[in-house]
Amino acid sequence: MLNLAQWHRNAWLNRLQSALLMAFMMALLALLGLLVWGEEGLSMLLLLAVVLLLLSPVVSPWLVLRLYRARPLHPAEVPALYDMLAEIARRAELPAVPTLCYVPSDLVNAFTVGGKRDAVIGVTDGLLRNLQWREIAGVLAHEISHIKNGDLRVMGLADLMSRLTRFLSLFGQLLLLFNLPLLWADQVQVNWWAVALLIFAPHIILLAQLGLSRTREFHADLNAALLTGDPEGLASALAKIEVGSRGLMDILFPGMNLPEPSWLRTHPPTVERIRRLLELRQQPARPVWQQVWEPGRPVWVRQATRGPRYHWSGLWY
């Protein structure tokens, strides 16, 4: 059983932080539009945002998964795993049970693509072989929480605002460059605070975007604990994923490849995520993984044939 008082407190803080970060990004974008185009710039900026949203290509989840050489897992191959997934999806009130895809990689990882009705969760061979049932349940619940919360859509909107900010910043700096002769002739006055904002706005909104990503990860952890009733399972999985993702340099020099300060990371520090999850412990209960686990059914029977590789998108798989 969860500490519901602590859960509601953390959930409220996560929602508040997400709302404040989104409001800040929108306000910064509106201010840049006002500086570059004046009052008419706000309506033009809104129109541009709508056009970009409509013209953004809708990428099929299967196209993304093909890049990672993933293949669908049929329920007959992993019946117990699909039973667990279906129960978590039912608790999350999703309109459809996500499809599982197998990624032939030793890396301990999972990710999700698609929307609520066409979601696909990719799980690596390393994850299926190295995690216990309760840990796999926690990871699947975390990914389903991202689907339920619409995090892909939220982060897509944040990315759109970030790209618009970079465009406005570049456009404003080009205008300033073209007006340099007038500046030297003292025929125009420049608000240097506005110039500084134009220069640093892309960096500021990027930090806000990173903060939003971290907050959504915390919230997905929180909802996963509620869906499974077992916060320790996800905490244990996160610890194993952290160890499994380390290379030789990380072992020799811990934390070497992690951005510092910590708020420059897209994901929160694993230690902080585990601490927040363990705060939710209260009374032992029968979690979801115990309700659907069936002895004697292996999760997977095939060994990955290659180690982790670097993908052009910046992800290891």
Side-chain angles (χ1 to χ4, degrees):
M1 198 174 169
L2 293 180
N3 184 339
L4 291 181
Q6 183 67 31
W7 187 94
H8 284 294
R9 187 182 306 112
N10 289 347
W12 184 85
L13 289 174
N14 287 339
R15 294 191 188 102
L16 177 62
Q17 187 174 1
S18 294
L20 290 176
L21 285 169
M22 288 295 290
F24 173 77
M25 295 174 72
M26 292 178 182
L28 180 60
L29 187 58
L31 179 58
L32 286 180
L34 188 65
L35 290 175
V36 175
W37 286 324
E39 294 183 1
E40 296 181 356
L42 296 181
S43 57
M44 294 176 61
L45 187 62
L46 179 61
L47 179 61
L48 179 61
V50 171
V51 170
L52 289 176
L53 281 174
L54 293 176
L55 295 180
S56 295
V58 180
V59 180
S60 168
W62 299 106
L63 179 60
V64 177
L65 289 164
R66 197 174 303 159
L67 297 174
Y68 296 95
R69 300 181 183 177
R71 75 165 186 84
L73 281 174
H74 194 273
E77 296 178 278
V78 282
L81 196 60
Y82 261 101
D83 288 344
M84 179 188 296
L85 183 67
E87 173 61 20
I88 298 173
R90 183 191 66 80
R91 295 186 180 190
E93 299 180 348
L94 291 184
V97 178
T99 301
L100 285 175
C101 267
Y102 171 78
V103 181
S105 170
D106 288 332
L107 193 66
V108 182
N109 196 19
F111 56 90
T112 183
V113 290
K116 290 185 178 181
R117 297 188 178 276
D118 63 347
V120 180
I121 297 177
V123 289
T124 64
D125 184 90
L127 181 136
L128 295 176
R129 289 189 175 276
N130 291 288
L131 299 192
Q132 299 176 0
W133 278 100
R134 67 183 304 192
E135 297 165 343
I136 293 176
V139 172
L140 292 179
H142 176 91
E143 299 304 327
I144 284 180
S145 295
H146 279 310
I147 299 169
K148 178 183 178 181
N149 298 333
D151 286 338
L152 295 179
R153 185 180 299 273
V154 170
M155 294 310 300
L157 179 59
D159 181 66
L160 174 62
M161 289 191 287
S162 180
R163 284 184 281 131
L164 284 174
T165 300
R166 289 195 296 269
F167 167 74
L168 288 174
S169 175
L170 179 61
F171 186 76
Q173 293 178 62
L174 288 176
L175 286 179
L176 179 64
L177 181 63
F178 291 146
N179 284 278
L180 280 179
L182 297 177
L183 288 175
W184 289 331
D186 289 331
Q187 296 183 14
V188 294
Q189 296 294 325
V190 175
N191 185 338
W192 293 106
W193 288 107
V195 173
L197 180 61
L198 284 172
I199 294 174
F200 292 107
H203 307 285
I204 296 172
I205 207 164
L206 176 60
L207 292 178
Q209 188 178 0
L210 294 176
L212 182 64
S213 175
R214 289 161 50 87
T215 301
R216 304 315 295 172
E217 287 297 323
F218 277 134
H219 201 57
D221 288 345
L222 205 62
N223 283 339
L226 186 64
L227 291 174
T228 62
D230 183 23
E232 291 179 291
L234 179 56
S236 177
L238 291 175
K240 288 187 177 181
I241 292 173
E242 174 78 5
V243 173
S245 63
R246 292 177 181 173
L248 178 60
M249 295 304 294
D250 293 296
I251 296 174
L252 297 177
F253 305 99
M256 177 181 179
N257 293 324
L258 294 177
E260 292 293 346
S262 61
W263 39 266
L264 291 177
R265 305 171 188 169
T266 57
H267 281 56
T270 302
V271 173
E272 177 64 15
R273 296 174 69 183
I274 292 175
R275 183 190 67 79
R276 293 194 182 195
L277 283 167
L278 296 183
E279 285 180 348
L280 302 176
R281 291 179 300 180
Q282 196 169 42
Q283 299 176 8
R286 190 166 181 254
V288 61
W289 65 273
Q290 290 182 339
Q291 299 178 25
V292 298
W293 178 70
E294 298 180 26
R297 287 185 174 182
V299 174
W300 190 245
V301 294
R302 176 183 169 192
Q303 182 68 39
T305 57
R306 60 179 175 83
R309 298 181 181 179
Y310 185 76
H311 194 260
W312 59 266
S313 64
L315 298 176
W316 286 92
Y317 70 103

